[in-house]
Amino acid sequence: MGIVMKSVLPLLAAGCLLAGCATPPPQSNKAAFEAYQQQNDPLKPFNKASYHFDNVLDTYVLRPVAIGYIDVTTPGIRRHVGEFMSNTDAPAQLLEFMAAGKPRDAGTTLVRFLVNSTVGIGGLFDPAGALGYHKVYTDVGLTLAGYGVPEGPYLYLPFAGPSDLRDATGIPASIVLNPTFPAPPSTGLTIFNYGSDALSVVNTRAELHGTISNIKKTSLDPYATFRSLYRQHRAAELQDINKRDVATPPAWYSAAQRKAMKHAEYDSTN
Amino acid sequence: MAAYFRRVLLGAFAVMPVLALSPLLAGRALAAAPSAATAKAFIDSSGQKLVSIINGAGSTSQKAAQLRALVNNIVAVDQIGKFVLGRYYRVATPAQRSEYMQLFHQTLAYNITTQIRAYKGVTFKTGRVTSGPEGEMVSTEVSRQGQAPAHVQWVVDTVGGQPKIVDVVVEGTSLRVTERSDYSSVINDHGGQVEALLSAMKRQLSRMQAG
């Protein structure tokens, strides 16, 4: 926690200097103070500024590109691109699951990476899913969360979008964990990196196209809606990881005992 | 003998209040969450009706009217509206409350209408049912043409003696929790005035009607 705070404090300070922290309402105004605490968004001025920056970027660059991309691709292609991207992320996730002490998910990730990279032609297809090794997800932020690091105040980062103090702290580590990071530098690799990063951004934006335009159309305060959705989604991801984190029934258990144990904790269909 | 009678009488008096309360208790038990089977059957039949309207014949406006009637029948709109307003429900005046409820119903109706075309060709299948704190959660897989199937959970509770949908959970995000933070943020930004939310809702409605 000390290290986390130390590395993030400069970031926080920079955010405050750039845009100023929100002033909390006086404690005497109970309703307003409670609402302020519940929002947990003391960097709101900075966050809103980056939200607007991203919005302009999205309106003039990302959204038109994504719409063009949707026009020239089929849903199938977009799904395979997404699967390829998540397969390149598997080695990092394997390390994160191991660091988090989640052996079952680490095993699932390893099998998925091996099967999908070979039989699944570099991750374009997902034969491991058909074998019963369904997709699992983690990242550095969720690993920290597993150690009890609280999410901290909300952050909206330019280019990176919604985040929080804990998850933003994990961004440098996730860059280092990318499989292309330790590879020796070469022109080919650089081109691949730019290409795959751009494709990943566009593909993700295209997959979220309907959702994002819906939220912007139907919500009164899209900024607050995205904030709430981000937090709920992260909490659900963490809950999923913890739900799957159960012991394997020992081989010497009777069938009834194994069944009882499995039934109580783990449902392989989920 | 007298002692025996006294004991019986005392016993009867002791039991009487419980007997008198029993219809109430039974009523309470009925008002609790519906059984998993009831919830699943309810979502199944409601979903079939929804799909048959969306994929059926008729103009968009006809479908919209049918959908609105169906939604009012299967969704606990008033309960959701009250939840969404949250703590500000207590602060609001009776006039504000009724205006808010009216606007909430209208907003929902418009949201449904605008979604009809996007959901053409929709199919769904129900899956597991789990018990949650808010009611029974029925998992479904909703498939649309040209899109990856979405996992949607419907939270079913007994409202007014009938099973009703009280929340929708998509990818771990609850619709009514999200709505609540959206609405409360508007009220917060305007110094806790419920009136600000009402005018924002009105503006949104007129924008939807225009577009």
mmCIF file with all atom_site columns, all heavy atoms in Angstrom, chain A residues 243 267 269-270, chain B residues 33-37 39-40 127-140 153-156 169:
data_model
loop_
_atom_site.group_PDB
_atom_site.id
_atom_site.type_symbol
_atom_site.label_atom_id
_atom_site.label_alt_id
_atom_site.label_comp_id
_atom_site.label_asym_id
_atom_site.label_entity_id
_atom_site.label_seq_id
_atom_site.pdbx_PDB_ins_code
_atom_site.Cartn_x
_atom_site.Cartn_y
_atom_site.Cartn_z
_atom_site.occupancy
_atom_site.B_iso_or_equiv
_atom_site.pdbx_formal_charge
_atom_site.auth_seq_id
_atom_site.auth_comp_id
_atom_site.auth_asym_id
_atom_site.auth_atom_id
_atom_site.pdbx_PDB_model_num
ATOM 1   N N   . LYS A 1 243 ? -15.355 -16.076 -7.192  1.00 0.00 ? 243 LYS A N   1
ATOM 2   C CA  . LYS A 1 243 ? -16.326 -17.165 -7.251  1.00 0.00 ? 243 LYS A CA  1
ATOM 3   C C   . LYS A 1 243 ? -15.679 -18.429 -7.809  1.00 0.00 ? 243 LYS A C   1
ATOM 4   O O   . LYS A 1 243 ? -15.994 -19.540 -7.393  1.00 0.00 ? 243 LYS A O   1
ATOM 5   C CB  . LYS A 1 243 ? -17.500 -16.739 -8.140  1.00 0.00 ? 243 LYS A CB  1
ATOM 6   C CG  . LYS A 1 243 ? -18.827 -17.248 -7.662  1.00 0.00 ? 243 LYS A CG  1
ATOM 7   C CD  . LYS A 1 243 ? -20.016 -16.496 -8.190  1.00 0.00 ? 243 LYS A CD  1
ATOM 8   C CE  . LYS A 1 243 ? -20.098 -16.401 -9.692  1.00 0.00 ? 243 LYS A CE  1
ATOM 9   N NZ  . LYS A 1 243 ? -21.234 -15.616 -10.148 1.00 0.00 ? 243 LYS A NZ  1
ATOM 10  N N   . ASP A 1 267 ? -19.449 -24.078 -10.111 1.00 0.00 ? 267 ASP A N   1
ATOM 11  C CA  . ASP A 1 267 ? -20.334 -24.543 -11.165 1.00 0.00 ? 267 ASP A CA  1
ATOM 12  C C   . ASP A 1 267 ? -19.606 -24.357 -12.483 1.00 0.00 ? 267 ASP A C   1
ATOM 13  O O   . ASP A 1 267 ? -19.369 -23.239 -12.930 1.00 0.00 ? 267 ASP A O   1
ATOM 14  C CB  . ASP A 1 267 ? -21.623 -23.715 -11.134 1.00 0.00 ? 267 ASP A CB  1
ATOM 15  C CG  . ASP A 1 267 ? -22.648 -24.278 -12.086 1.00 0.00 ? 267 ASP A CG  1
ATOM 16  O OD1 . ASP A 1 267 ? -22.233 -25.033 -12.985 1.00 0.00 ? 267 ASP A OD1 1
ATOM 17  O OD2 . ASP A 1 267 ? -23.839 -23.993 -11.909 1.00 0.00 ? 267 ASP A OD2 1
ATOM 18  N N   . THR A 1 269 ? -20.463 -24.730 -15.393 1.00 0.00 ? 269 THR A N   1
ATOM 19  C CA  . THR A 1 269 ? -21.201 -24.169 -16.530 1.00 0.00 ? 269 THR A CA  1
ATOM 20  C C   . THR A 1 269 ? -21.130 -22.649 -16.523 1.00 0.00 ? 269 THR A C   1
ATOM 21  O O   . THR A 1 269 ? -21.481 -22.002 -17.490 1.00 0.00 ? 269 THR A O   1
ATOM 22  C CB  . THR A 1 269 ? -22.676 -24.555 -16.481 1.00 0.00 ? 269 THR A CB  1
ATOM 23  O OG1 . THR A 1 269 ? -23.217 -24.121 -15.236 1.00 0.00 ? 269 THR A OG1 1
ATOM 24  C CG2 . THR A 1 269 ? -22.872 -26.042 -16.628 1.00 0.00 ? 269 THR A CG2 1
ATOM 25  N N   . ASN A 1 270 ? -20.711 -22.085 -15.422 1.00 0.00 ? 270 ASN A N   1
ATOM 26  C CA  . ASN A 1 270 ? -20.691 -20.618 -15.350 1.00 0.00 ? 270 ASN A CA  1
ATOM 27  C C   . ASN A 1 270 ? -19.335 -20.080 -15.765 1.00 0.00 ? 270 ASN A C   1
ATOM 28  O O   . ASN A 1 270 ? -18.416 -20.055 -15.012 1.00 0.00 ? 270 ASN A O   1
ATOM 29  C CB  . ASN A 1 270 ? -21.019 -20.185 -13.915 1.00 0.00 ? 270 ASN A CB  1
ATOM 30  C CG  . ASN A 1 270 ? -21.362 -18.736 -13.864 1.00 0.00 ? 270 ASN A CG  1
ATOM 31  O OD1 . ASN A 1 270 ? -21.587 -18.125 -14.893 1.00 0.00 ? 270 ASN A OD1 1
ATOM 32  N ND2 . ASN A 1 270 ? -21.384 -18.171 -12.681 1.00 0.00 ? 270 ASN A ND2 1
ATOM 33  N N   . ALA B 2 33  ? -39.975 -13.308 -2.071  1.00 0.00 ? 33  ALA B N   1
ATOM 34  C CA  . ALA B 2 33  ? -39.520 -13.607 -3.420  1.00 0.00 ? 33  ALA B CA  1
ATOM 35  C C   . ALA B 2 33  ? -40.227 -14.846 -3.969  1.00 0.00 ? 33  ALA B C   1
ATOM 36  O O   . ALA B 2 33  ? -40.485 -15.790 -3.226  1.00 0.00 ? 33  ALA B O   1
ATOM 37  C CB  . ALA B 2 33  ? -38.014 -13.833 -3.400  1.00 0.00 ? 33  ALA B CB  1
ATOM 38  N N   . PRO B 2 34  ? -40.548 -14.842 -5.262  1.00 0.00 ? 34  PRO B N   1
ATOM 39  C CA  . PRO B 2 34  ? -41.200 -16.012 -5.843  1.00 0.00 ? 34  PRO B CA  1
ATOM 40  C C   . PRO B 2 34  ? -40.223 -17.182 -5.916  1.00 0.00 ? 34  PRO B C   1
ATOM 41  O O   . PRO B 2 34  ? -39.020 -16.991 -5.785  1.00 0.00 ? 34  PRO B O   1
ATOM 42  C CB  . PRO B 2 34  ? -41.562 -15.520 -7.247  1.00 0.00 ? 34  PRO B CB  1
ATOM 43  C CG  . PRO B 2 34  ? -40.597 -14.440 -7.541  1.00 0.00 ? 34  PRO B CG  1
ATOM 44  C CD  . PRO B 2 34  ? -40.282 -13.787 -6.232  1.00 0.00 ? 34  PRO B CD  1
ATOM 45  N N   . SER B 2 35  ? -40.748 -18.379 -6.112  1.00 0.00 ? 35  SER B N   1
ATOM 46  C CA  . SER B 2 35  ? -39.868 -19.543 -6.207  1.00 0.00 ? 35  SER B CA  1
ATOM 47  C C   . SER B 2 35  ? -39.085 -19.464 -7.513  1.00 0.00 ? 35  SER B C   1
ATOM 48  O O   . SER B 2 35  ? -39.462 -18.750 -8.444  1.00 0.00 ? 35  SER B O   1
ATOM 49  C CB  . SER B 2 35  ? -40.689 -20.819 -6.173  1.00 0.00 ? 35  SER B CB  1
ATOM 50  O OG  . SER B 2 35  ? -41.355 -20.966 -7.399  1.00 0.00 ? 35  SER B OG  1
ATOM 51  N N   . ALA B 2 36  ? -37.995 -20.207 -7.533  1.00 0.00 ? 36  ALA B N   1
ATOM 52  C CA  . ALA B 2 36  ? -37.131 -20.190 -8.714  1.00 0.00 ? 36  ALA B CA  1
ATOM 53  C C   . ALA B 2 36  ? -37.905 -20.619 -9.956  1.00 0.00 ? 36  ALA B C   1
ATOM 54  O O   . ALA B 2 36  ? -37.776 -20.017 -11.031 1.00 0.00 ? 36  ALA B O   1
ATOM 55  C CB  . ALA B 2 36  ? -35.936 -21.100 -8.488  1.00 0.00 ? 36  ALA B CB  1
ATOM 56  N N   . ALA B 2 37  ? -38.762 -21.631 -9.801  1.00 0.00 ? 37  ALA B N   1
ATOM 57  C CA  . ALA B 2 37  ? -39.522 -22.140 -10.945 1.00 0.00 ? 37  ALA B CA  1
ATOM 58  C C   . ALA B 2 37  ? -40.509 -21.088 -11.449 1.00 0.00 ? 37  ALA B C   1
ATOM 59  O O   . ALA B 2 37  ? -40.642 -20.868 -12.656 1.00 0.00 ? 37  ALA B O   1
ATOM 60  C CB  . ALA B 2 37  ? -40.257 -23.415 -10.551 1.00 0.00 ? 37  ALA B CB  1
ATOM 61  N N   . ALA B 2 39  ? -40.265 -17.833 -11.093 1.00 0.00 ? 39  ALA B N   1
ATOM 62  C CA  . ALA B 2 39  ? -39.515 -16.737 -11.702 1.00 0.00 ? 39  ALA B CA  1
ATOM 63  C C   . ALA B 2 39  ? -39.090 -17.109 -13.117 1.00 0.00 ? 39  ALA B C   1
ATOM 64  O O   . ALA B 2 39  ? -39.203 -16.312 -14.049 1.00 0.00 ? 39  ALA B O   1
ATOM 65  C CB  . ALA B 2 39  ? -38.297 -16.405 -10.855 1.00 0.00 ? 39  ALA B CB  1
ATOM 66  N N   . LYS B 2 40  ? -38.623 -18.336 -13.285 1.00 0.00 ? 40  LYS B N   1
ATOM 67  C CA  . LYS B 2 40  ? -38.139 -18.770 -14.599 1.00 0.00 ? 40  LYS B CA  1
ATOM 68  C C   . LYS B 2 40  ? -39.290 -18.841 -15.598 1.00 0.00 ? 40  LYS B C   1
ATOM 69  O O   . LYS B 2 40  ? -39.167 -18.372 -16.734 1.00 0.00 ? 40  LYS B O   1
ATOM 70  C CB  . LYS B 2 40  ? -37.451 -20.128 -14.477 1.00 0.00 ? 40  LYS B CB  1
ATOM 71  C CG  . LYS B 2 40  ? -36.741 -20.536 -15.739 1.00 0.00 ? 40  LYS B CG  1
ATOM 72  C CD  . LYS B 2 40  ? -35.857 -21.743 -15.524 1.00 0.00 ? 40  LYS B CD  1
ATOM 73  C CE  . LYS B 2 40  ? -35.219 -22.127 -16.853 1.00 0.00 ? 40  LYS B CE  1
ATOM 74  N NZ  . LYS B 2 40  ? -34.215 -23.153 -16.706 1.00 0.00 ? 40  LYS B NZ  1
ATOM 75  N N   . GLY B 2 127 ? -31.678 -19.569 -18.632 1.00 0.00 ? 127 GLY B N   1
ATOM 76  C CA  . GLY B 2 127 ? -30.702 -20.487 -18.045 1.00 0.00 ? 127 GLY B CA  1
ATOM 77  C C   . GLY B 2 127 ? -30.943 -20.675 -16.558 1.00 0.00 ? 127 GLY B C   1
ATOM 78  O O   . GLY B 2 127 ? -32.077 -20.811 -16.122 1.00 0.00 ? 127 GLY B O   1
ATOM 79  N N   . ARG B 2 128 ? -29.878 -20.596 -15.795 1.00 0.00 ? 128 ARG B N   1
ATOM 80  C CA  . ARG B 2 128 ? -29.955 -20.868 -14.366 1.00 0.00 ? 128 ARG B CA  1
ATOM 81  C C   . ARG B 2 128 ? -30.707 -19.777 -13.607 1.00 0.00 ? 128 ARG B C   1
ATOM 82  O O   . ARG B 2 128 ? -30.762 -18.635 -14.026 1.00 0.00 ? 128 ARG B O   1
ATOM 83  C CB  . ARG B 2 128 ? -28.539 -20.939 -13.786 1.00 0.00 ? 128 ARG B CB  1
ATOM 84  C CG  . ARG B 2 128 ? -27.744 -22.081 -14.363 1.00 0.00 ? 128 ARG B CG  1
ATOM 85  C CD  . ARG B 2 128 ? -26.519 -22.368 -13.551 1.00 0.00 ? 128 ARG B CD  1
ATOM 86  N NE  . ARG B 2 128 ? -25.752 -21.185 -13.201 1.00 0.00 ? 128 ARG B NE  1
ATOM 87  C CZ  . ARG B 2 128 ? -25.104 -21.070 -12.058 1.00 0.00 ? 128 ARG B CZ  1
ATOM 88  N NH1 . ARG B 2 128 ? -25.187 -22.022 -11.164 1.00 0.00 ? 128 ARG B NH1 1
ATOM 89  N NH2 . ARG B 2 128 ? -24.386 -19.998 -11.812 1.00 0.00 ? 128 ARG B NH2 1
ATOM 90  N N   . VAL B 2 129 ? -31.229 -20.148 -12.466 1.00 0.00 ? 129 VAL B N   1
ATOM 91  C CA  . VAL B 2 129 ? -31.869 -19.184 -11.579 1.00 0.00 ? 129 VAL B CA  1
ATOM 92  C C   . VAL B 2 129 ? -31.100 -19.198 -10.262 1.00 0.00 ? 129 VAL B C   1
ATOM 93  O O   . VAL B 2 129 ? -30.855 -20.253 -9.695  1.00 0.00 ? 129 VAL B O   1
ATOM 94  C CB  . VAL B 2 129 ? -33.337 -19.549 -11.321 1.00 0.00 ? 129 VAL B CB  1
ATOM 95  C CG1 . VAL B 2 129 ? -34.012 -18.495 -10.461 1.00 0.00 ? 129 VAL B CG1 1
ATOM 96  C CG2 . VAL B 2 129 ? -34.085 -19.723 -12.618 1.00 0.00 ? 129 VAL B CG2 1
ATOM 97  N N   . THR B 2 130 ? -30.686 -18.021 -9.800  1.00 0.00 ? 130 THR B N   1
ATOM 98  C CA  . THR B 2 130 ? -30.013 -17.946 -8.504  1.00 0.00 ? 130 THR B CA  1
ATOM 99  C C   . THR B 2 130 ? -30.756 -16.964 -7.614  1.00 0.00 ? 130 THR B C   1
ATOM 100 O O   . THR B 2 130 ? -31.399 -16.038 -8.113  1.00 0.00 ? 130 THR B O   1
ATOM 101 C CB  . THR B 2 130 ? -28.549 -17.469 -8.659  1.00 0.00 ? 130 THR B CB  1
ATOM 102 O OG1 . THR B 2 130 ? -28.549 -16.328 -9.522  1.00 0.00 ? 130 THR B OG1 1
ATOM 103 C CG2 . THR B 2 130 ? -27.676 -18.545 -9.235  1.00 0.00 ? 130 THR B CG2 1
ATOM 104 N N   . SER B 2 131 ? -30.661 -17.185 -6.317  1.00 0.00 ? 131 SER B N   1
ATOM 105 C CA  . SER B 2 131 ? -31.324 -16.283 -5.384  1.00 0.00 ? 131 SER B CA  1
ATOM 106 C C   . SER B 2 131 ? -30.395 -15.137 -5.045  1.00 0.00 ? 131 SER B C   1
ATOM 107 O O   . SER B 2 131 ? -29.245 -15.354 -4.685  1.00 0.00 ? 131 SER B O   1
ATOM 108 C CB  . SER B 2 131 ? -31.692 -17.032 -4.107  1.00 0.00 ? 131 SER B CB  1
ATOM 109 O OG  . SER B 2 131 ? -32.793 -17.860 -4.360  1.00 0.00 ? 131 SER B OG  1
ATOM 110 N N   . GLY B 2 132 ? -30.904 -13.920 -5.203  1.00 0.00 ? 132 GLY B N   1
ATOM 111 C CA  . GLY B 2 132 ? -30.115 -12.747 -4.834  1.00 0.00 ? 132 GLY B CA  1
ATOM 112 C C   . GLY B 2 132 ? -30.815 -12.012 -3.714  1.00 0.00 ? 132 GLY B C   1
ATOM 113 O O   . GLY B 2 132 ? -31.936 -12.367 -3.339  1.00 0.00 ? 132 GLY B O   1
ATOM 114 N N   . PRO B 2 133 ? -30.179 -10.989 -3.180  1.00 0.00 ? 133 PRO B N   1
ATOM 115 C CA  . PRO B 2 133 ? -30.803 -10.221 -2.095  1.00 0.00 ? 133 PRO B CA  1
ATOM 116 C C   . PRO B 2 133 ? -32.059 -9.482  -2.567  1.00 0.00 ? 133 PRO B C   1
ATOM 117 O O   . PRO B 2 133 ? -32.955 -9.212  -1.771  1.00 0.00 ? 133 PRO B O   1
ATOM 118 C CB  . PRO B 2 133 ? -29.709 -9.247  -1.676  1.00 0.00 ? 133 PRO B CB  1
ATOM 119 C CG  . PRO B 2 133 ? -28.758 -9.196  -2.807  1.00 0.00 ? 133 PRO B CG  1
ATOM 120 C CD  . PRO B 2 133 ? -28.836 -10.513 -3.501  1.00 0.00 ? 133 PRO B CD  1
ATOM 121 N N   . GLU B 2 134 ? -32.152 -9.169  -3.854  1.00 0.00 ? 134 GLU B N   1
ATOM 122 C CA  . GLU B 2 134 ? -33.281 -8.376  -4.353  1.00 0.00 ? 134 GLU B CA  1
ATOM 123 C C   . GLU B 2 134 ? -34.405 -9.244  -4.895  1.00 0.00 ? 134 GLU B C   1
ATOM 124 O O   . GLU B 2 134 ? -35.461 -8.731  -5.240  1.00 0.00 ? 134 GLU B O   1
ATOM 125 C CB  . GLU B 2 134 ? -32.822 -7.426  -5.466  1.00 0.00 ? 134 GLU B CB  1
ATOM 126 C CG  . GLU B 2 134 ? -31.461 -6.788  -5.263  1.00 0.00 ? 134 GLU B CG  1
ATOM 127 C CD  . GLU B 2 134 ? -31.477 -5.793  -4.131  1.00 0.00 ? 134 GLU B CD  1
ATOM 128 O OE1 . GLU B 2 134 ? -32.578 -5.393  -3.730  1.00 0.00 ? 134 GLU B OE1 1
ATOM 129 O OE2 . GLU B 2 134 ? -30.403 -5.432  -3.634  1.00 0.00 ? 134 GLU B OE2 1
ATOM 130 N N   . GLY B 2 135 ? -34.151 -10.553 -5.037  1.00 0.00 ? 135 GLY B N   1
ATOM 131 C CA  . GLY B 2 135 ? -35.149 -11.443 -5.613  1.00 0.00 ? 135 GLY B CA  1
ATOM 132 C C   . GLY B 2 135 ? -34.467 -12.577 -6.358  1.00 0.00 ? 135 GLY B C   1
ATOM 133 O O   . GLY B 2 135 ? -33.257 -12.758 -6.230  1.00 0.00 ? 135 GLY B O   1
ATOM 134 N N   . GLU B 2 136 ? -35.261 -13.315 -7.145  1.00 0.00 ? 136 GLU B N   1
ATOM 135 C CA  . GLU B 2 136 ? -34.684 -14.398 -7.922  1.00 0.00 ? 136 GLU B CA  1
ATOM 136 C C   . GLU B 2 136 ? -34.041 -13.823 -9.181  1.00 0.00 ? 136 GLU B C   1
ATOM 137 O O   . GLU B 2 136 ? -34.627 -12.986 -9.869  1.00 0.00 ? 136 GLU B O   1
ATOM 138 C CB  . GLU B 2 136 ? -35.776 -15.396 -8.320  1.00 0.00 ? 136 GLU B CB  1
ATOM 139 C CG  . GLU B 2 136 ? -36.384 -16.132 -7.140  1.00 0.00 ? 136 GLU B CG  1
ATOM 140 C CD  . GLU B 2 136 ? -35.386 -17.027 -6.433  1.00 0.00 ? 136 GLU B CD  1
ATOM 141 O OE1 . GLU B 2 136 ? -34.771 -17.865 -7.111  1.00 0.00 ? 136 GLU B OE1 1
ATOM 142 O OE2 . GLU B 2 136 ? -35.217 -16.876 -5.210  1.00 0.00 ? 136 GLU B OE2 1
ATOM 143 N N   . MET B 2 137 ? -32.818 -14.271 -9.473  1.00 0.00 ? 137 MET B N   1
ATOM 144 C CA  . MET B 2 137 ? -32.136 -13.768 -10.665 1.00 0.00 ? 137 MET B CA  1
ATOM 145 C C   . MET B 2 137 ? -32.169 -14.839 -11.753 1.00 0.00 ? 137 MET B C   1
ATOM 146 O O   . MET B 2 137 ? -31.571 -15.898 -11.605 1.00 0.00 ? 137 MET B O   1
ATOM 147 C CB  . MET B 2 137 ? -30.700 -13.397 -10.330 1.00 0.00 ? 137 MET B CB  1
ATOM 148 C CG  . MET B 2 137 ? -30.616 -12.289 -9.291  1.00 0.00 ? 137 MET B CG  1
ATOM 149 S SD  . MET B 2 137 ? -28.930 -11.848 -8.891  1.00 0.00 ? 137 MET B SD  1
ATOM 150 C CE  . MET B 2 137 ? -28.478 -10.856 -10.287 1.00 0.00 ? 137 MET B CE  1
ATOM 151 N N   . VAL B 2 138 ? -32.876 -14.542 -12.840 1.00 0.00 ? 138 VAL B N   1
ATOM 152 C CA  . VAL B 2 138 ? -33.007 -15.490 -13.943 1.00 0.00 ? 138 VAL B CA  1
ATOM 153 C C   . VAL B 2 138 ? -32.010 -15.102 -15.029 1.00 0.00 ? 138 VAL B C   1
ATOM 154 O O   . VAL B 2 138 ? -32.053 -13.987 -15.553 1.00 0.00 ? 138 VAL B O   1
ATOM 155 C CB  . VAL B 2 138 ? -34.438 -15.479 -14.514 1.00 0.00 ? 138 VAL B CB  1
ATOM 156 C CG1 . VAL B 2 138 ? -34.588 -16.522 -15.599 1.00 0.00 ? 138 VAL B CG1 1
ATOM 157 C CG2 . VAL B 2 138 ? -35.457 -15.703 -13.411 1.00 0.00 ? 138 VAL B CG2 1
ATOM 158 N N   . SER B 2 139 ? -31.088 -16.030 -15.352 1.00 0.00 ? 139 SER B N   1
ATOM 159 C CA  . SER B 2 139 ? -30.097 -15.741 -16.387 1.00 0.00 ? 139 SER B CA  1
ATOM 160 C C   . SER B 2 139 ? -30.671 -16.059 -17.760 1.00 0.00 ? 139 SER B C   1
ATOM 161 O O   . SER B 2 139 ? -31.333 -17.075 -17.939 1.00 0.00 ? 139 SER B O   1
ATOM 162 C CB  . SER B 2 139 ? -28.849 -16.605 -16.183 1.00 0.00 ? 139 SER B CB  1
ATOM 163 O OG  . SER B 2 139 ? -28.291 -16.356 -14.935 1.00 0.00 ? 139 SER B OG  1
ATOM 164 N N   . THR B 2 140 ? -30.429 -15.166 -18.723 1.00 0.00 ? 140 THR B N   1
ATOM 165 C CA  . THR B 2 140 ? -30.826 -15.443 -20.091 1.00 0.00 ? 140 THR B CA  1
ATOM 166 C C   . THR B 2 140 ? -29.679 -15.106 -21.028 1.00 0.00 ? 140 THR B C   1
ATOM 167 O O   . THR B 2 140 ? -28.787 -14.333 -20.677 1.00 0.00 ? 140 THR B O   1
ATOM 168 C CB  . THR B 2 140 ? -32.037 -14.592 -20.540 1.00 0.00 ? 140 THR B CB  1
ATOM 169 O OG1 . THR B 2 140 ? -31.693 -13.217 -20.414 1.00 0.00 ? 140 THR B OG1 1
ATOM 170 C CG2 . THR B 2 140 ? -33.275 -14.897 -19.725 1.00 0.00 ? 140 THR B CG2 1
ATOM 171 N N   . GLN B 2 153 ? -29.293 -10.822 -16.893 1.00 0.00 ? 153 GLN B N   1
ATOM 172 C CA  . GLN B 2 153 ? -30.000 -11.401 -15.745 1.00 0.00 ? 153 GLN B CA  1
ATOM 173 C C   . GLN B 2 153 ? -31.191 -10.529 -15.392 1.00 0.00 ? 153 GLN B C   1
ATOM 174 O O   . GLN B 2 153 ? -31.077 -9.306  -15.352 1.00 0.00 ? 153 GLN B O   1
ATOM 175 C CB  . GLN B 2 153 ? -29.066 -11.500 -14.542 1.00 0.00 ? 153 GLN B CB  1
ATOM 176 C CG  . GLN B 2 153 ? -28.050 -12.614 -14.683 1.00 0.00 ? 153 GLN B CG  1
ATOM 177 C CD  . GLN B 2 153 ? -27.148 -12.672 -13.485 1.00 0.00 ? 153 GLN B CD  1
ATOM 178 O OE1 . GLN B 2 153 ? -26.577 -11.673 -13.089 1.00 0.00 ? 153 GLN B OE1 1
ATOM 179 N NE2 . GLN B 2 153 ? -27.025 -13.846 -12.900 1.00 0.00 ? 153 GLN B NE2 1
ATOM 180 N N   . TRP B 2 154 ? -32.323 -11.176 -15.158 1.00 0.00 ? 154 TRP B N   1
ATOM 181 C CA  . TRP B 2 154 ? -33.547 -10.472 -14.804 1.00 0.00 ? 154 TRP B CA  1
ATOM 182 C C   . TRP B 2 154 ? -33.852 -10.755 -13.348 1.00 0.00 ? 154 TRP B C   1
ATOM 183 O O   . TRP B 2 154 ? -33.937 -11.920 -12.948 1.00 0.00 ? 154 TRP B O   1
ATOM 184 C CB  . TRP B 2 154 ? -34.701 -10.955 -15.686 1.00 0.00 ? 154 TRP B CB  1
ATOM 185 C CG  . TRP B 2 154 ? -34.376 -10.879 -17.132 1.00 0.00 ? 154 TRP B CG  1
ATOM 186 C CD1 . TRP B 2 154 ? -33.729 -11.830 -17.869 1.00 0.00 ? 154 TRP B CD1 1
ATOM 187 C CD2 . TRP B 2 154 ? -34.635 -9.792  -18.032 1.00 0.00 ? 154 TRP B CD2 1
ATOM 188 N NE1 . TRP B 2 154 ? -33.584 -11.393 -19.168 1.00 0.00 ? 154 TRP B NE1 1
ATOM 189 C CE2 . TRP B 2 154 ? -34.134 -10.152 -19.289 1.00 0.00 ? 154 TRP B CE2 1
ATOM 190 C CE3 . TRP B 2 154 ? -35.261 -8.546  -17.878 1.00 0.00 ? 154 TRP B CE3 1
ATOM 191 C CZ2 . TRP B 2 154 ? -34.214 -9.311  -20.397 1.00 0.00 ? 154 TRP B CZ2 1
ATOM 192 C CZ3 . TRP B 2 154 ? -35.351 -7.731  -18.978 1.00 0.00 ? 154 TRP B CZ3 1
ATOM 193 C CH2 . TRP B 2 154 ? -34.829 -8.104  -20.219 1.00 0.00 ? 154 TRP B CH2 1
ATOM 194 N N   . VAL B 2 155 ? -34.003 -9.701  -12.567 1.00 0.00 ? 155 VAL B N   1
ATOM 195 C CA  . VAL B 2 155 ? -34.309 -9.882  -11.156 1.00 0.00 ? 155 VAL B CA  1
ATOM 196 C C   . VAL B 2 155 ? -35.824 -9.830  -10.991 1.00 0.00 ? 155 VAL B C   1
ATOM 197 O O   . VAL B 2 155 ? -36.461 -8.848  -11.366 1.00 0.00 ? 155 VAL B O   1
ATOM 198 C CB  . VAL B 2 155 ? -33.631 -8.801  -10.293 1.00 0.00 ? 155 VAL B CB  1
ATOM 199 C CG1 . VAL B 2 155 ? -33.859 -9.095  -8.821  1.00 0.00 ? 155 VAL B CG1 1
ATOM 200 C CG2 . VAL B 2 155 ? -32.150 -8.733  -10.598 1.00 0.00 ? 155 VAL B CG2 1
ATOM 201 N N   . VAL B 2 156 ? -36.388 -10.933 -10.474 1.00 0.00 ? 156 VAL B N   1
ATOM 202 C CA  . VAL B 2 156 ? -37.835 -11.047 -10.352 1.00 0.00 ? 156 VAL B CA  1
ATOM 203 C C   . VAL B 2 156 ? -38.226 -11.054 -8.883  1.00 0.00 ? 156 VAL B C   1
ATOM 204 O O   . VAL B 2 156 ? -37.632 -11.775 -8.076  1.00 0.00 ? 156 VAL B O   1
ATOM 205 C CB  . VAL B 2 156 ? -38.341 -12.345 -11.029 1.00 0.00 ? 156 VAL B CB  1
ATOM 206 C CG1 . VAL B 2 156 ? -39.845 -12.458 -10.896 1.00 0.00 ? 156 VAL B CG1 1
ATOM 207 C CG2 . VAL B 2 156 ? -37.930 -12.381 -12.481 1.00 0.00 ? 156 VAL B CG2 1
ATOM 208 N N   . VAL B 2 169 ? -29.712 -6.944  -15.027 1.00 0.00 ? 169 VAL B N   1
ATOM 209 C CA  . VAL B 2 169 ? -28.273 -6.898  -14.798 1.00 0.00 ? 169 VAL B CA  1
ATOM 210 C C   . VAL B 2 169 ? -27.561 -7.386  -16.060 1.00 0.00 ? 169 VAL B C   1
ATOM 211 O O   . VAL B 2 169 ? -27.760 -8.517  -16.493 1.00 0.00 ? 169 VAL B O   1
ATOM 212 C CB  . VAL B 2 169 ? -27.873 -7.760  -13.587 1.00 0.00 ? 169 VAL B CB  1
ATOM 213 C CG1 . VAL B 2 169 ? -26.368 -7.710  -13.372 1.00 0.00 ? 169 VAL B CG1 1
ATOM 214 C CG2 . VAL B 2 169 ? -28.599 -7.300  -12.340 1.00 0.00 ? 169 VAL B CG2 1
#
